[in-house]
Amino acid sequence: MASIKEIKGRIGSTKKMSQITRAMQMVANSKLKRAEENSKKFQPYMDKIQETVQAIASGDTTSSHPMLEERPVKRTGYIVITADSGLAGPYNANVLKVVTNEIKERHNNNADSYDLFVIGNLGLEFLQNRDYPVANSRTGLADQPDFSSVKEIAQQAVSSFANEEFDELFIVYNKFISVLQQEVDMRKVLPLSDSDLSNESQSSSLSSYEFEPDKESILETILPQYAESLIYGALLDAKASEHSMRMTAMQAATDNAKELVDDLTLQYNRARQAAITQEITEIVGGAAALE
């Protein structure tokens, strides 16, 4: 059994740890609120650019832009979004599990049939240490990232598809549903499908659009921007999930620390009571011996 001094030391260290996890929980909660606001502010832009792309693509059946064309899949690109740090529960593990399982089942671990574009230090280290082919990476993102922070990797992924270096592009990230619910989503970014561009409620307003100089030229410019905005929108969603899962993990750690302190306090009181009883017994025994 541990001594009273050891138990007291453990109680002190556990209380200090509880204070740290509590502070981290509050910080994550503050970052989560800002991340949710950023995601909501970006949504009107996404809606408008989707409406514009739909207006062009749906009204031009002769368009042959490569981002709208399905082609035989020989090589696949994956954008993998993870975090730069841990202490966020299963945030990183869930994404990496989905990616590695997909590679194993679909590509049979054949490195020549896929490329990885990794965002986040933990995902990069995990995949590089296991010799997965990483075409590009981005680490050290801010807690509230702007588009410039991922512009390079997004443009490279989109241009690689346009140049037919691979034939489809997926993005794998933690989708934010609510503070208590997040799920890993593997979303197909390219080629753009009809479901990505369809919106029945806007059909009446699309007919009034006029395009200059021509639809083909506009598609050439706006489709890469639209694909890049899908990637950035997923990143904002992933950041909200990261802060949410870190807040939940730190709350659980704080609760566990409090329970541990209660258990240790009970052990301390029992050990102290036993020590006092032993001292009384020794004093009584000594007094009886002198009589």
Side-chain angles (χ1 to χ4, degrees):
M1 182 177 179
S3 66
I4 294 178
K5 184 177 181 180
E6 291 174 344
I7 296 175
K8 190 174 182 180
R10 289 186 63 189
I11 291 174
S13 62
T14 305
K15 285 183 177 179
K16 290 179 181 179
M17 183 61 67
S18 175
Q19 293 173 353
I20 294 173
T21 55
R22 175 60 178 168
M24 293 179 68
Q25 176 190 345
M26 295 174 66
V27 171
N29 184 41
S30 175
K31 291 179 179 179
L32 171 61
K33 292 179 180 178
R34 291 184 59 192
E36 285 187 274
E37 291 176 1
N38 290 339
S39 183
K40 290 178 180 178
K41 289 178 180 178
F42 185 69
Q43 192 59 43
Y45 170 79
M46 282 295 303
D47 293 340
K48 182 55 65 175
I49 193 172
Q50 180 180 4
E51 177 185 344
T52 305
V53 171
Q54 177 199 359
I56 302 172
S58 62
D60 185 9
T61 58
T62 63
S63 176
S64 59
H65 196 281
M67 291 187 182
L68 299 174
E69 291 182 345
E70 296 279 350
R71 55 181 184 249
V73 178
K74 300 177 181 178
R75 192 176 181 87
T76 305
Y78 297 94
I79 298 176
V80 184
I81 300 180
T82 61
D84 286 312
S85 59
L87 300 179
Y91 176 83
N92 297 292
N94 287 347
V95 170
L96 294 172
K97 182 179 180 181
V98 169
V99 171
T100 53
N101 286 343
E102 179 74 9
I103 291 173
K104 182 179 179 180
E105 295 174 3
R106 187 174 182 185
H107 303 281
N108 197 25
N109 291 324
N110 179 12
D112 295 329
S113 63
Y114 66 94
D115 277 323
L116 297 176
F117 300 85
V118 185
I119 298 175
N121 186 56
L122 290 184
L124 178 62
E125 290 183 353
F126 177 91
L127 294 169
Q128 283 184 333
N129 290 340
R130 289 159 178 79
D131 297 324
Y132 287 92
V134 177
N136 198 355
S137 62
R138 180 68 170 89
T139 61
L141 291 180
D143 290 319
Q144 314 298 335
D146 54 20
F147 179 70
S148 62
S149 59
V150 292
K151 183 178 181 180
E152 178 187 348
I153 194 170
Q155 287 182 339
Q156 181 182 349
V158 173
S159 63
S160 294
F161 175 85
N163 296 332
E164 299 188 9
E165 294 178 20
F166 48 78
D167 305 297
E168 58 183 357
L169 177 65
F170 291 87
I171 185 167
V172 188
Y173 67 104
N174 275 290
K175 184 177 181 180
F176 181 82
I177 299 175
S178 68
V179 176
L180 298 177
Q181 185 180 4
Q182 305 83 29
E183 63 181 23
V184 179
D185 186 20
M186 178 178 290
R187 179 176 184 179
K188 188 174 184 179
V189 178
L190 293 171
L192 297 171
S193 63
D194 293 337
S195 60
D196 292 326
L197 302 176
S198 62
N199 193 329
E200 297 293 338
S201 63
Q202 296 170 350
S203 57
S204 59
S205 63
L206 299 180
S207 58
S208 62
Y209 282 19
E210 295 182 4
F211 303 99
E212 291 291 343
D214 58 76
K215 292 184 177 182
E216 193 70 30
S217 299
I218 297 174
L219 280 178
E220 195 72 28
T221 300
I222 200 173
L223 282 178
Q225 294 179 0
Y226 178 55
E228 291 165 9
S229 68
L230 289 176
I231 297 171
Y232 180 57
L235 175 63
L236 294 179
D237 212 19
K239 276 295 180 182
S241 296
E242 177 187 346
H243 299 318
S244 176
M245 295 180 78
R246 181 168 288 114
M247 181 186 70
T248 302
M250 292 302 99
Q251 181 179 356
T254 302
D255 294 340
N256 291 337
K258 290 180 179 179
E259 292 180 4
L260 182 57
V261 168
D262 292 340
D263 293 339
L264 290 172
T265 301
L266 183 59
Q267 292 182 29
Y268 175 80
N269 291 335
R270 288 175 177 173
R272 186 167 175 269
Q273 183 179 8
I276 293 173
T277 302
Q278 180 66 25
E279 290 178 2
I280 294 175
T281 302
E282 292 174 355
I283 291 173
V284 172
L290 294 175
E291 291 179 355

